[in-house]
Amino acid sequence: MTDRAMQEPTLLLLTALADEPRHGYAIAREVEAISGGRVKMRTGTLYGALERLLQQGLIEVHKEEVVDSRLRRTYTLTSPGRAALAVEAERIAATAREATRRLGVSGKAATT
């Protein structure tokens, strides 16, 4: 990975795989849950992104099985994927801490 911020779909996909291996449909549901329903990945987008993450070495195929006459792949994070996610999580947390600090400096609560 580069020093660039991770794109949100990548962040969500890696986060969806951080706690356990999952197959495509389960990953899509997990992404939707993590994003509070804001992000719904279409099948083509999901599998294109998974293929890219496989090529980058951030995820790997954990298991392949035939279910209802169709091949089902289960994906898991690799060590580099876990490390990239940890770096991005810390970057986001540092930005959030700084935003919170700066909001507190003004002494005024944000209004909407």
Side-chain angles (χ1 to χ4, degrees):
M1 296 292 312
T2 65
D3 289 336
R4 266 186 36 213
M6 194 177 280
Q7 294 294 312
E8 185 178 30
T10 300
L11 173 64
L12 292 169
L13 288 169
L14 295 181
T15 301
L17 292 170
D19 58 345
E20 65 182 64
R22 289 186 165 85
H23 57 80
Y25 179 71
I27 293 169
R29 286 185 28 201
E30 210 48 35
V31 164
E32 188 173 348
I34 292 165
S35 69
R38 190 176 44 80
V39 177
K40 295 177 177 141
M41 297 195 86
R42 295 182 178 180
T43 304
T45 302
L46 172 66
Y47 286 101
L50 290 172
E51 187 59 37
R52 179 178 50 79
L53 295 173
L54 281 166
Q55 290 174 359
Q56 291 174 343
L58 298 177
I59 66 171
E60 64 188 5
V61 175
H62 175 71
K63 178 173 70 170
E64 290 183 328
E65 60 186 336
V66 176
V67 176
D68 295 328
S69 301
R70 294 176 56 180
L71 181 64
R72 177 188 286 178
R73 282 183 166 180
T74 303
Y75 300 90
T76 191
L77 283 182
T78 60
S79 292
R82 190 166 292 283
L85 181 58
V87 166
E88 185 65 5
E90 179 50 38
R91 185 193 68 75
I92 292 168
T95 301
R97 284 191 301 272
E98 182 61 15
T100 300
R101 184 190 72 76
R102 289 177 182 220
L103 285 168
V105 167
S106 70
K108 298 177 186 176
T111 58
T112 53

